[in-house]
Amino acid sequence: MTKGSIDRLGNQIRAEYDELKDDTLIELQDYRTSHKDTIARVFNILCNINRKNKKDYIITYRIKRFESIIGKLYRYPQMQFSRMWDIGGCRCIVNNNKEVYELKTLIEENPFLEIRKIYDYIEKPQPEGYKSLHLFISLQNDNKVIELQIRNKDDHNWATLVEITDLLFDAKLKEFGKNKDLLRFHFL
């Protein structure tokens, strides 16, 4: 898909927000799954870095869920869908923040990966307490961008707690901070 067709799909999803047409859902599924080969290759590179350096990182990957994509497009009406760089994502859970930055250096040195953008929520945590290093990376000669989240085990456990709270209490802490008391509780 071209950048223009991806952005048109995003606008179509917004226009059909209450009830997406079958053709729109099929096109969205095609776009989502177009990331699978890139994610698999990035995941394999990360696993090789892990093995080569004799580390015990936990490494996972996923394609963003339909509901997450649709919700994000709705919440950010000015966002171009082609700039939603977290359709495909990998996560590395390491032991401490020193290892977060060591892994970042190894990725910077890898000849197959290119870091396109960095958000350092460890150095500058989100107001609600979220901490993680986000690298938006691509393979050499590939226009697909994959979000890589690197965080230590404690910060991962905190983020998982927020997600479980959202699931159990429909708190929507990640998206809107709907329940201020729960948000403050998690921050503390």
Side-chain angles (χ1 to χ4, degrees), residues 11-63:
N11 291 333
Q12 188 68 30
I13 291 168
R14 287 184 185 102
E16 298 174 10
Y17 178 76
D18 291 325
E19 189 172 340
L20 270 64
K21 296 176 183 166
D22 288 345
D23 289 347
T24 304
L25 286 170
I26 290 168
E27 199 172 346
L28 176 56
Q29 176 65 353
D30 289 345
Y31 180 60
R32 284 176 68 244
T33 58
S34 73
H35 289 76
K36 67 181 169 68
D37 290 339
T38 304
I39 295 171
R41 290 185 59 210
V42 169
F43 175 77
N44 288 335
I45 291 168
L46 293 171
C47 289
N48 283 332
I49 289 171
N50 188 34
R51 275 190 297 277
K52 180 179 176 186
N53 291 284
K54 297 177 177 46
K55 296 293 185 177
D56 60 348
Y57 303 151
I58 299 168
I59 304 171
T60 64
Y61 67 96
R62 60 96 181 116
I63 296 178

Coordinates of all heavy atoms in Angstrom, one line a residue, residues 11-63:
N11 N -8.8 7.5 7.2 CA -9.9 8.4 7.1 C -11.2 7.7 7.0 O -12.2 8.0 7.5 CB -9.7 9.5 6.0 CG -8.6 10.4 6.3 OD1 -8.3 10.7 7.5 ND2 -8.0 11.0 5.3
Q12 N -11.2 6.6 6.2 CA -12.4 5.8 6.0 C -12.8 5.1 7.3 O -14.0 5.0 7.6 CB -12.1 4.7 4.9 CG -13.3 3.9 4.5 CD -14.3 4.7 3.7 OE1 -14.0 5.7 3.1 NE2 -15.6 4.4 3.9
I13 N -11.8 4.6 8.1 CA -12.1 4.0 9.4 C -12.7 5.0 10.3 O -13.7 4.7 11.0 CB -10.8 3.4 10.0 CG1 -10.3 2.2 9.2 CG2 -11.0 3.1 11.4 CD1 -8.9 1.7 9.5
R14 N -12.2 6.2 10.3 CA -12.8 7.3 11.1 C -14.3 7.6 10.7 O -15.2 7.7 11.5 CB -12.0 8.6 11.1 CG -10.7 8.5 11.8 CD -10.0 9.9 11.7 NE -8.7 9.8 12.3 CZ -7.6 9.8 11.7 NH1 -7.5 9.7 10.3 NH2 -6.4 9.7 12.3
A15 N -14.5 7.7 9.4 CA -15.8 8.0 8.9 C -16.8 6.9 9.2 O -18.0 7.1 9.4 CB -15.8 8.2 7.3
E16 N -16.4 5.6 9.2 CA -17.2 4.5 9.5 C -17.1 4.0 11.0 O -17.5 2.9 11.3 CB -16.8 3.3 8.6 CG -17.0 3.6 7.1 CD -16.5 2.5 6.2 OE1 -16.1 1.4 6.7 OE2 -16.3 2.7 5.0
Y17 N -16.6 4.8 11.8 CA -16.3 4.4 13.2 C -17.4 3.6 13.9 O -17.1 2.6 14.5 CB -16.0 5.7 14.0 CG -15.7 5.4 15.5 CD1 -14.4 4.8 15.8 CD2 -16.6 5.5 16.5 CE1 -14.1 4.5 17.1 CE2 -16.3 5.2 17.8 CZ -15.0 4.7 18.1 OH -14.7 4.4 19.4
D18 N -18.6 4.0 13.8 CA -19.7 3.2 14.5 C -20.0 1.9 13.9 O -20.4 1.0 14.6 CB -21.0 4.1 14.5 CG -20.9 5.3 15.4 OD1 -20.2 5.2 16.4 OD2 -21.5 6.3 15.0
E19 N -19.7 1.7 12.6 CA -19.9 0.4 12.0 C -19.1 0.3 10.7 O -19.5 0.8 9.6 CB -21.4 0.2 11.6 CG -21.7 -1.2 11.1 CD -23.2 -1.5 11.0 OE1 -24.0 -0.8 11.6 OE2 -23.5 -2.4 10.3
L20 N -17.9 -0.3 10.8 CA -17.0 -0.5 9.7 C -17.6 -1.4 8.7 O -18.1 -2.5 9.0 CB -15.7 -0.9 10.1 CG -14.7 0.2 10.5 CD1 -15.1 1.0 11.7 CD2 -13.3 -0.4 10.7
K21 N -17.5 -1.1 7.4 CA -17.9 -1.9 6.3 C -17.0 -3.1 6.2 O -15.8 -3.0 6.5 CB -18.0 -1.1 5.0 CG -19.0 0.0 5.0 CD -19.0 0.8 3.8 CE -20.0 1.9 3.9 NZ -19.8 2.9 2.8
D22 N -17.4 -4.2 5.6 CA -16.6 -5.4 5.4 C -15.4 -5.1 4.6 O -14.3 -5.6 4.9 CB -17.4 -6.5 4.7 CG -18.5 -7.1 5.7 OD1 -18.4 -6.9 6.9 OD2 -19.4 -7.8 5.2
D23 N -15.5 -4.3 3.5 CA -14.4 -4.0 2.7 C -13.3 -3.2 3.5 O -12.1 -3.4 3.3 CB -14.8 -3.2 1.5 CG -15.6 -4.0 0.4 OD1 -15.6 -5.2 0.6 OD2 -16.2 -3.4 -0.5
T24 N -13.7 -2.3 4.3 CA -12.8 -1.5 5.2 C -12.1 -2.5 6.1 O -10.9 -2.4 6.3 CB -13.6 -0.4 5.9 OG1 -14.3 0.4 5.0 CG2 -12.6 0.4 6.7
L25 N -12.8 -3.4 6.7 CA -12.2 -4.3 7.7 C -11.2 -5.2 7.0 O -10.1 -5.5 7.5 CB -13.3 -5.2 8.4 CG -14.1 -4.5 9.4 CD1 -15.2 -5.4 9.8 CD2 -13.2 -4.1 10.6
I26 N -11.5 -5.7 5.7 CA -10.6 -6.5 5.0 C -9.3 -5.7 4.6 O -8.2 -6.2 4.8 CB -11.3 -7.0 3.7 CG1 -12.3 -8.1 4.1 CG2 -10.2 -7.6 2.7 CD1 -13.3 -8.4 2.9
E27 N -9.5 -4.5 4.2 CA -8.3 -3.6 3.9 C -7.5 -3.4 5.2 O -6.2 -3.4 5.1 CB -8.8 -2.3 3.3 CG -7.7 -1.6 2.5 CD -8.3 -0.4 1.8 OE1 -9.5 -0.2 1.6 OE2 -7.4 0.4 1.3
L28 N -8.1 -3.2 6.3 CA -7.4 -3.0 7.5 C -6.6 -4.3 7.9 O -5.5 -4.2 8.3 CB -8.3 -2.6 8.7 CG -7.7 -2.5 10.1 CD1 -6.6 -1.5 10.1 CD2 -8.8 -2.0 11.1
Q29 N -7.3 -5.4 7.8 CA -6.6 -6.7 8.1 C -5.4 -6.9 7.1 O -4.3 -7.3 7.6 CB -7.6 -7.8 7.9 CG -6.9 -9.2 8.1 CD -6.4 -9.4 9.5 OE1 -6.3 -8.5 10.4 NE2 -5.9 -10.6 9.8
D30 N -5.6 -6.5 5.9 CA -4.4 -6.7 4.9 C -3.3 -5.8 5.3 O -2.1 -6.2 5.3 CB -4.9 -6.3 3.5 CG -5.8 -7.4 2.9 OD1 -5.9 -8.5 3.4 OD2 -6.4 -7.0 1.9
Y31 N -3.6 -4.6 5.8 CA -2.5 -3.6 6.2 C -1.8 -4.1 7.4 O -0.6 -4.2 7.5 CB -3.1 -2.2 6.4 CG -2.0 -1.3 6.8 CD1 -0.9 -1.0 6.0 CD2 -2.1 -0.6 8.0 CE1 0.1 -0.2 6.4 CE2 -1.1 0.3 8.4 CZ 0.0 0.5 7.6 OH 1.0 1.4 8.0
R32 N -2.6 -4.6 8.4 CA -2.1 -5.1 9.7 C -1.1 -6.3 9.4 O 0.0 -6.3 9.8 CB -3.2 -5.6 10.6 CG -4.0 -4.6 11.3 CD -5.1 -5.2 12.1 NE -4.6 -6.0 13.2 CZ -4.7 -7.3 13.4 NH1 -5.4 -8.1 12.5 NH2 -4.2 -8.0 14.4
T33 N -1.6 -7.2 8.6 CA -0.8 -8.4 8.4 C 0.4 -8.2 7.4 O 1.3 -9.0 7.4 CB -1.6 -9.6 7.8 OG1 -2.3 -9.2 6.6 CG2 -2.7 -10.0 8.8
S34 N 0.4 -7.0 6.7 CA 1.6 -6.7 5.9 C 2.8 -6.5 6.7 O 3.9 -6.4 6.2 CB 1.3 -5.5 5.0 OG 1.3 -4.3 5.7
H35 N 2.6 -6.3 8.0 CA 3.8 -6.1 9.0 C 4.4 -7.4 9.5 O 5.4 -7.3 10.1 CB 3.3 -5.2 10.2 CG 3.0 -3.8 9.8 ND1 1.9 -3.4 9.1 CD2 3.7 -2.7 10.0 CE1 1.9 -2.1 9.0 NE2 3.0 -1.6 9.5
K36 N 3.7 -8.5 9.2 CA 4.2 -9.7 9.9 C 5.6 -10.2 9.5 O 6.3 -10.6 10.4 CB 3.2 -10.9 9.7 CG 3.0 -11.4 8.3 CD 2.0 -12.5 8.3 CE 1.6 -12.9 6.9 NZ 2.5 -13.6 6.1
D37 N 6.0 -10.1 8.3 CA 7.3 -10.5 7.9 C 8.4 -9.6 8.6 O 9.4 -10.1 9.0 CB 7.5 -10.5 6.4 CG 6.7 -11.6 5.8 OD1 6.3 -12.6 6.5 OD2 6.4 -11.5 4.6
T38 N 8.1 -8.3 8.6 CA 9.1 -7.3 9.1 C 9.2 -7.6 10.6 O 10.3 -7.6 11.2 CB 8.6 -5.9 8.9 OG1 8.5 -5.7 7.5 CG2 9.6 -4.9 9.4
I39 N 8.1 -7.8 11.3 CA 8.1 -8.1 12.8 C 8.9 -9.3 13.0 O 9.7 -9.4 13.9 CB 6.7 -8.2 13.4 CG1 5.9 -7.0 13.3 CG2 6.8 -8.7 14.8 CD1 4.4 -7.1 13.6
A40 N 8.7 -10.4 12.2 CA 9.4 -11.6 12.4 C 10.9 -11.5 12.3 O 11.7 -12.0 13.0 CB 8.8 -12.7 11.5
R41 N 11.3 -10.7 11.3 CA 12.7 -10.5 11.1 C 13.3 -9.7 12.2 O 14.4 -10.0 12.7 CB 12.9 -9.8 9.7 CG 12.6 -10.8 8.5 CD 12.9 -10.2 7.2 NE 14.3 -9.9 7.1 CZ 14.8 -8.9 6.3 NH1 13.9 -8.2 5.5 NH2 16.1 -8.6 6.2
V42 N 12.7 -8.6 12.6 CA 13.2 -7.8 13.8 C 13.2 -8.7 15.0 O 14.2 -8.6 15.7 CB 12.3 -6.6 14.0 CG1 12.6 -5.9 15.3 CG2 12.4 -5.6 12.8
F43 N 12.2 -9.5 15.3 CA 12.2 -10.4 16.4 C 13.4 -11.3 16.4 O 14.1 -11.5 17.4 CB 10.9 -11.2 16.4 CG 10.8 -12.2 17.5 CD1 10.6 -11.9 18.8 CD2 11.0 -13.5 17.2 CE1 10.5 -12.8 19.8 CE2 10.9 -14.5 18.2 CZ 10.7 -14.2 19.5
N44 N 13.7 -11.9 15.2 CA 14.8 -12.8 15.1 C 16.1 -12.1 15.3 O 17.1 -12.7 15.9 CB 14.8 -13.5 13.7 CG 13.7 -14.5 13.6 OD1 13.2 -15.1 14.6 ND2 13.2 -14.8 12.3
I45 N 16.3 -10.9 14.8 CA 17.5 -10.1 15.1 C 17.7 -9.9 16.6 O 18.8 -10.0 17.1 CB 17.5 -8.8 14.3 CG1 17.6 -9.1 12.8 CG2 18.6 -7.9 14.7 CD1 17.3 -7.9 11.9
L46 N 16.6 -9.5 17.2 CA 16.7 -9.3 18.7 C 17.0 -10.5 19.4 O 17.8 -10.5 20.4 CB 15.3 -8.7 19.2 CG 15.0 -7.3 18.7 CD1 13.5 -7.0 19.1 CD2 15.9 -6.3 19.2
C47 N 16.5 -11.7 19.0 CA 16.8 -12.9 19.7 C 18.3 -13.3 19.5 O 18.9 -13.8 20.4 CB 15.9 -14.1 19.1 SG 14.2 -14.0 19.7
N48 N 18.8 -13.0 18.3 CA 20.2 -13.2 18.0 C 21.1 -12.3 18.9 O 22.1 -12.8 19.4 CB 20.5 -13.1 16.5 CG 20.1 -14.3 15.7 OD1 20.0 -15.4 16.2 ND2 19.7 -14.1 14.5
I49 N 20.7 -11.1 19.0 CA 21.5 -10.2 19.9 C 21.5 -10.7 21.3 O 22.5 -10.7 22.0 CB 20.9 -8.7 19.8 CG1 21.1 -8.1 18.5 CG2 21.4 -7.9 21.0 CD1 20.4 -6.8 18.3
N50 N 20.3 -11.2 21.7 CA 20.2 -11.7 23.1 C 21.1 -13.0 23.3 O 21.8 -13.0 24.3 CB 18.7 -12.1 23.3 CG 18.4 -12.6 24.7 OD1 18.9 -12.1 25.7 ND2 17.5 -13.5 24.8
R51 N 21.1 -13.9 22.3 CA 21.9 -15.1 22.4 C 23.4 -14.8 22.4 O 24.2 -15.2 23.2 CB 21.5 -16.1 21.3 CG 20.4 -17.0 21.7 CD 20.2 -18.1 20.6 NE 20.0 -17.6 19.3 CZ 18.7 -17.3 18.9 NH1 17.7 -17.4 19.6 NH2 18.6 -16.9 17.6
K52 N 23.7 -13.9 21.4 CA 25.1 -13.5 21.2 C 25.7 -12.9 22.4 O 26.9 -13.1 22.8 CB 25.3 -12.6 20.0 CG 26.7 -12.2 19.7 CD 26.7 -11.2 18.5 CE 28.1 -10.7 18.2 NZ 28.1 -9.7 17.2
N53 N 25.0 -12.1 23.2 CA 25.4 -11.4 24.3 C 25.1 -12.2 25.6 O 25.3 -11.6 26.7 CB 24.9 -10.0 24.4 CG 25.5 -9.2 23.2 OD1 26.6 -8.8 23.3 ND2 24.7 -9.0 22.2
K54 N 24.6 -13.4 25.5 CA 24.4 -14.3 26.6 C 23.5 -13.6 27.7 O 23.8 -13.6 28.9 CB 25.7 -14.8 27.2 CG 26.5 -15.6 26.3 CD 27.8 -16.0 26.9 CE 28.6 -17.0 26.0 NZ 28.8 -16.7 24.7
K55 N 22.4 -13.0 27.2 CA 21.5 -12.3 28.1 C 20.2 -13.2 28.3 O 20.0 -14.2 27.6 CB 21.1 -11.0 27.5 CG 22.2 -10.0 27.4 CD 22.8 -9.6 28.8 CE 23.8 -8.5 28.7 NZ 24.3 -8.1 30.0
D56 N 19.4 -12.8 29.2 CA 18.2 -13.6 29.5 C 17.0 -12.7 29.3 O 16.0 -12.7 30.1 CB 18.2 -14.2 30.9 CG 18.3 -13.2 32.0 OD1 18.7 -12.0 31.7 OD2 18.1 -13.5 33.2
Y57 N 17.0 -11.8 28.3 CA 15.9 -10.9 28.0 C 14.6 -11.7 27.6 O 14.7 -12.8 27.0 CB 16.2 -10.0 26.9 CG 17.4 -9.1 27.1 CD1 18.2 -8.7 26.0 CD2 17.9 -8.7 28.3 CE1 19.3 -7.9 26.1 CE2 19.0 -8.0 28.5 CZ 19.7 -7.6 27.4 OH 20.8 -6.8 27.5
I58 N 13.5 -11.2 28.0 CA 12.2 -11.7 27.5 C 11.9 -10.9 26.3 O 11.8 -9.7 26.3 CB 11.1 -11.6 28.5 CG1 11.5 -12.4 29.8 CG2 9.8 -12.1 28.0 CD1 10.6 -12.2 31.0
I59 N 11.7 -11.6 25.1 CA 11.4 -10.8 23.9 C 10.1 -11.4 23.3 O 9.9 -12.6 23.2 CB 12.6 -11.0 22.9 CG1 13.9 -10.6 23.5 CG2 12.3 -10.3 21.6 CD1 15.1 -11.0 22.7
T60 N 9.2 -10.5 23.0 CA 7.9 -10.8 22.4 C 7.6 -9.9 21.2 O 8.3 -8.9 21.0 CB 6.8 -10.7 23.4 OG1 6.6 -9.3 23.8 CG2 7.0 -11.5 24.7
Y61 N 6.6 -10.3 20.5 CA 6.1 -9.4 19.4 C 4.6 -9.6 19.2 O 4.0 -10.6 19.6 CB 6.8 -9.6 18.1 CG 6.6 -11.0 17.4 CD1 5.7 -11.1 16.4 CD2 7.4 -12.1 17.8 CE1 5.5 -12.3 15.8 CE2 7.2 -13.3 17.2 CZ 6.2 -13.4 16.2 OH 6.0 -14.6 15.6
R62 N 4.0 -8.6 18.5 CA 2.6 -8.6 18.3 C 2.2 -7.7 17.1 O 3.0 -6.8 16.8 CB 1.7 -8.3 19.5 CG 2.0 -6.9 20.1 CD 1.0 -5.9 19.6 NE 1.2 -4.5 20.1 CZ 1.5 -3.5 19.3 NH1 1.7 -3.6 18.1 NH2 1.7 -2.3 19.9
I63 N 1.0 -7.9 16.6 CA 0.4 -7.0 15.6 C -0.7 -6.3 16.4 O -1.5 -6.9 17.1 CB -0.1 -7.6 14.4 CG1 1.0 -8.3 13.6 CG2 -0.9 -6.7 13.5 CD1 0.6 -9.0 12.3

